[in-house]
């Protein structure tokens, strides 16, 4: 009887657990060919929660893949967006800066490219009304644009992302909940930009929160960023751990599981 009970438990456990593996997804935005990555939730759920992940300015990297796989184990369907597309992948930071700069200046094109990835996430099984967008560095800017552009997401979480926007753009209501995880010593975000962003959140009547991490600069979640804060971008294991825990709290609040 005991062995039978154990066998039954194992069968139930197996039936509710799905092997998580990143899968390349070819899709398009207009004529632009794109290559994203999808990983299915390792847990079955009638709610099918989804996470759209926007990577940093060099494009899809090991850090974004690792985060996607970890989130899938927690019960989320995850799609990593390809923003640049075939023929446009940067090979160094100079090229990445030019590519990212183009999308920052052309926010409507950026929003459209993000929405193309969002539709792929839904196509692969995520509930269209149960999605959060998260982003890192350049991708952190992107998720704020997703909120500003009224894309169909319940919330957005930005990690060491650019916060500024053209002051000439009108401030509109933001309905997606907003989480910003920010290095307290990040040299790439001026006090003026931070102040303007916080005022934008107030004026847009957003449900927002901004968390600062001590001794942290830009890219604090990326283990490949080195550990020299004087360079302006460096990994901070404590801040990375804390920010991931804050993300989980945010997801538990915003998404149905």
């Amino acid at each position: 009887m005991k062995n039978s009970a154990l066998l039954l438990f194992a069968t139930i456990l197996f039936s509710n657990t799905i092997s998580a593996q990143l899968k390349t997804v070819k899709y398009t935005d207009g004529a632009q060919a794109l290559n994203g990555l999808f990983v299915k939730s390792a847990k079955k759920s009638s709610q099918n929660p989804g996470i759209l992940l926007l990577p940093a300015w060099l494009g899809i990297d090991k850090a974004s893949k690792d985060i996607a796989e970890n989130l899938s184990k927690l019960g989320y369907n995850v799609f990593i967006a390809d923003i640049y597309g075939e023929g446009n992948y940067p090979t160094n930071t100079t090229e990445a800066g030019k590519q990212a700069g183009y999308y920052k200046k052309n926010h409507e094109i950026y929003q459209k490219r993000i929405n193309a990835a969002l539709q792929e996430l839904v196509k692969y099984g995520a509930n269209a009304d149960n999605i959060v967008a998260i982003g890192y560095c350049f991708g952190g800017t992107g998720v704020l644009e997703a909120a500003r552009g009224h894309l169909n997401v319940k919330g957005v979480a930005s990690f060491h992302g650019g916060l500024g926007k053209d002051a000439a753009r009108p401030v509109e209501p933001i309905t997606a909940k907003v989480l910003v995880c920010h290095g307290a010593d990040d040299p790439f975000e001026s006090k003026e930009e931070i102040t303007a962003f916080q005022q934008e959140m107030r004026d847009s009547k957003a449900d927002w929160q901004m968390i600062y991490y001590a001794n942290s600069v830009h890219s604090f979640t990326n283990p490949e960023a080195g550990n020299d804060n004087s360079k302006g971008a460096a990994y901070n294991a404590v801040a990375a751990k804390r920010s991931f825990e804050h993300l989980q709290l945010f997801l538990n609040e915003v998404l149905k599981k």
Side-chain angles (χ1 to χ4, degrees):
M1 179 66 73
K2 182 177 180 180
N3 289 338
S4 297
L6 288 174
L7 179 60
L8 177 61
F9 175 76
T11 301
I12 294 172
L13 182 63
F14 179 79
S15 67
N16 283 280
T17 304
I18 304 168
S19 176
Q21 186 174 7
L22 286 164
K23 172 184 177 180
T24 300
V25 175
K26 292 185 176 295
Y27 63 114
T28 60
D29 177 19
Q32 178 62 62
L34 303 163
N35 298 286
L37 290 173
F38 173 75
V39 57
K40 190 175 182 62
S41 168
K43 302 177 181 179
K44 287 187 176 180
S45 167
S46 61
Q47 301 296 334
N48 292 323
I51 295 177
L52 178 64
L53 193 159
L54 306 186
W57 67 343
L58 285 171
I60 298 174
D61 55 8
K62 183 179 184 302
S64 57
K65 293 177 184 177
D66 289 345
I67 292 165
E69 289 178 338
N70 287 334
L71 289 169
S72 75
K73 294 173 185 175
L74 295 176
Y76 302 98
N77 298 288
V78 187
F79 189 87
I80 308 177
D82 175 10
I83 298 301
Y84 304 134
E86 292 182 7
N88 303 305
Y89 300 127
T91 59
N92 54 56
T93 55
T94 299
E95 292 178 0
K98 290 179 180 179
Q99 288 279 12
Y102 169 79
Y103 287 97
K104 289 178 180 179
K105 291 178 182 177
N106 296 276
H107 66 275
E108 291 181 346
I109 296 175
Y110 196 7
Q111 291 168 355
K112 184 172 180 288
R113 186 59 53 84
I114 295 168
N115 195 51
L118 183 61
Q119 299 313 308
E120 292 300 312
L121 174 57
V122 174
K123 187 185 298 183
Y124 275 81
N127 181 339
D129 296 316
N130 197 29
I131 293 173
V132 160
I134 70 173
Y136 298 80
C137 300
F138 169 54
T141 302
V143 298
L144 295 177
E145 286 301 339
R148 291 168 178 143
H150 311 295
L151 300 193
N152 189 26
V153 293
K154 293 297 184 183
V156 300
S158 173
F159 298 81
H160 40 84
L163 306 176
K165 73 175 183 63
D166 187 342
R169 290 171 58 185
V171 175
E172 298 180 359
I174 289 178
T175 56
K177 295 180 186 295
V178 178
L179 168 66
V180 172
C181 297
H182 187 72
D185 301 324
D186 189 332
F188 298 113
E189 286 299 310
S190 68
K191 292 181 180 178
E192 291 76 17
E193 282 183 326
I194 292 172
T195 298
F197 168 75
Q198 293 181 352
Q199 189 59 51
E200 177 195 0
M201 292 296 101
R202 295 185 181 95
D203 292 343
S204 66
K205 308 300 182 184
D207 179 347
W208 68 286
Q209 53 188 307
M210 186 169 181
I211 302 172
Y212 289 81
Y213 300 96
N215 307 312
S216 299
V217 290
H218 200 65
S219 299
F220 63 81
T221 65
N222 190 348
E224 297 182 347
N227 57 12
D228 185 355
N229 277 17
S230 68
K231 294 183 178 180
Y235 178 60
N236 184 305
V238 173
K241 179 177 181 293
R242 288 174 176 172
S243 64
F244 191 72
E245 290 172 347
H246 287 139
L247 172 62
Q248 291 179 72
L249 289 172
F250 183 72
L251 295 174
N252 288 337
E253 175 189 334
V254 176
L255 297 180
K256 298 176 181 178
K257 291 183 72 175

